Amino acid sequence: MNPLTTVPTRRSLPGSAFLAAARGERPERLPAWFMRQAGRSLPEYRALRADTGMLRACLTPDLTCEITMQPVRRHGVDAAILFSDIVVPLHAAGIAVDIVPGTGPVVASPVRTGDDVAGLPTLHPGQVEPVTDAVALLLRELGETPLIGFAGAPFTLASYLVEGGPSRNHERTKALMHGAPDVWHALMAHLAEITATFLEAQIAAGVDAVQLFDSWAGALSERDYRRYVLPHSAAVLSRVAGAGVPRFHFGVGTAELLGAMTEAGADVIGVDWRTPLDVAARRAGGRVPVQGNLDPAVLFADVASVEEEVRRIAAEGARAPGHVFNLGHGVLPGTDPDMITRTVELVHSL
């Protein structure tokens, strides 16, 4: 049975500016939330995580709930993003991956051959029950604030699996992609299945939107993206197309890919800080709302400089089919939380 057929009555959030903007409407106030708002910059998060590993925090429902709620309480953002990590479904499925502090995801046995792909486990919804339990807790805590579920896109997951960890040039990934395309597509199809299952589980638990992160897609040309990636991202997004929740799609350095990423099935396209939002909207076909795109480093500047950038971005977003204010990537460690709060207040004042 498709998990989406078992979704309970979804929350009705008629007053949500975030959901209205995702539908291409112009709510009374410009909605704002921030990628990686849950964690990193918040002292209360660092205190909570002092003796707890990342994966454990992601798979302990009460911890996940509390960390997700912290920026909602502190900043007054218009949406919560489920505290998790893109490798959570891989770990839950039984793939030996760990998140090493200061490094990132590290895979014990990289995947580089057809036999390696054939040996990968699948993911069953019950294996991510701690995540869906956290969603249930959050729905009771959030009131009228929407909850965004998320997952890593197949290409970014594949890059970690093939490289064995983070990579600057993705050389092994691209070598497999071009040198053994059958193996590559088998790997991507397998990861698309895992990702779709993970998103379906979150939607069945009651999240109000989902975001598919393709963090490393910007390493590709548009030609390679369309040939080796787009069909698999489209497979994920099509699996949740009938769920009744907006589908956000985001990548870093993807200025040349915005049209193709939208074609994959995005209802809202995320934009990093390199491309003006009105330009990005045109590249995406002029049909979907945009999300973004303040440079996270600008939050380290003075208040007047941040205000100037926020106003510029709001003006550019006003020329798009819809706009959700966000950063062009995640909140950086060391960001002053008070500056994030000030930014939200300024966005709402516009």
Side-chain angles (χ1 to χ4, degrees), residues 97-117:
V97 57
D98 194 13
I99 301 173
V100 178
T103 299
V106 175
V107 178
S109 299
V111 177
R112 295 171 183 166
T113 69
D115 287 343
D116 293 338
V117 174

Side-chain angles (χ1 to χ4, degrees), residues 13-318:
L13 301 173
S16 169
F18 166 78
L19 293 175
R23 293 191 296 266
E25 300 170 13
R26 296 290 178 180
E28 291 185 2
R29 73 180 192 186
L30 179 60
W33 72 279
F34 301 105
M35 290 178 283
R36 292 180 181 160
Q37 66 186 16
R40 306 192 78 178
S41 66
L42 300 184
E44 56 265 42
Y45 166 77
R46 291 193 293 270
L48 200 62
R49 279 280 323 279
D51 300 313
T52 306
M54 180 66 176
L55 285 171
R56 180 183 172 194
C58 293
L59 295 169
T60 304
D62 58 341
L63 274 178
T64 301
C65 177
E66 172 59 22
I67 294 169
T68 302
M69 288 299 303
Q70 287 174 347
V72 178
R73 299 190 197 106
R74 181 186 272 262
H75 304 311
V77 287
D78 293 284
I81 178 73
L82 181 69
F83 177 73
S84 190
D85 188 272
I86 62 171
V87 300
V88 163
L90 303 182
H91 173 78
I95 296 171
V97 57
D98 194 13
I99 301 173
V100 178
T103 299
V106 175
V107 178
S109 299
V111 177
R112 295 171 183 166
T113 69
D115 287 343
D116 293 338
V117 174
L120 289 173
T122 56
L123 179 71
H124 305 286
Q127 292 173 300
V128 292
E129 189 171 317
V131 175
T132 56
D133 286 348
V135 172
L137 293 175
L138 281 160
L139 296 183
R140 296 197 289 268
E141 294 281 340
L142 281 167
E144 297 299 306
T145 302
L147 176 61
I148 306 167
F150 87 97
F155 173 76
T156 293
L157 295 180
S159 180
Y160 281 119
L161 287 178
V162 175
E163 302 289 341
S167 172
R168 181 182 299 273
N169 299 310
H170 309 277
E171 53 266 43
R172 292 186 177 91
T173 304
K174 292 182 179 181
L176 180 65
M177 181 188 299
H178 287 276
D182 290 347
V183 175
W184 172 259
H185 284 295
L187 173 60
M188 289 288 281
H190 191 92
L191 292 173
E193 178 66 28
I194 287 176
T195 300
T197 298
F198 189 44
L199 287 179
E200 286 177 340
Q202 293 174 66
I203 292 170
V207 300
D208 305 292
V210 292
Q211 178 154 301
L212 188 66
F213 284 83
D214 213 347
S215 307
W216 306 130
L220 300 173
S221 67
E222 182 184 6
R223 178 187 61 254
D224 284 352
Y225 179 86
R226 287 184 176 278
R227 181 176 180 182
Y228 296 112
V229 177
L230 191 155
H232 304 287
S233 292
V236 173
L237 291 168
S238 68
R239 279 271 291 272
V240 297
V245 301
R247 301 162 297 165
F248 290 68
H249 197 13
F250 172 76
V252 182
T254 54
E256 301 302 320
L257 306 181
L258 292 171
M261 291 178 70
T262 304
E263 290 174 28
D267 299 308
V268 182
I269 194 73
V271 185
D272 75 5
W273 66 91
R274 297 172 177 88
T275 310
L277 289 179
D278 49 349
V279 175
R282 290 195 298 272
R283 291 183 180 182
R287 303 183 307 277
V288 299
V290 294
Q291 178 176 269
N293 68 338
L294 180 67
D295 186 338
V298 170
L299 292 176
F300 288 79
D302 59 277
V303 173
S305 298
V306 174
E307 179 173 344
E308 180 181 358
E309 285 295 284
V310 168
R311 291 185 179 278
R312 174 185 62 80
I313 290 164
E316 292 167 357

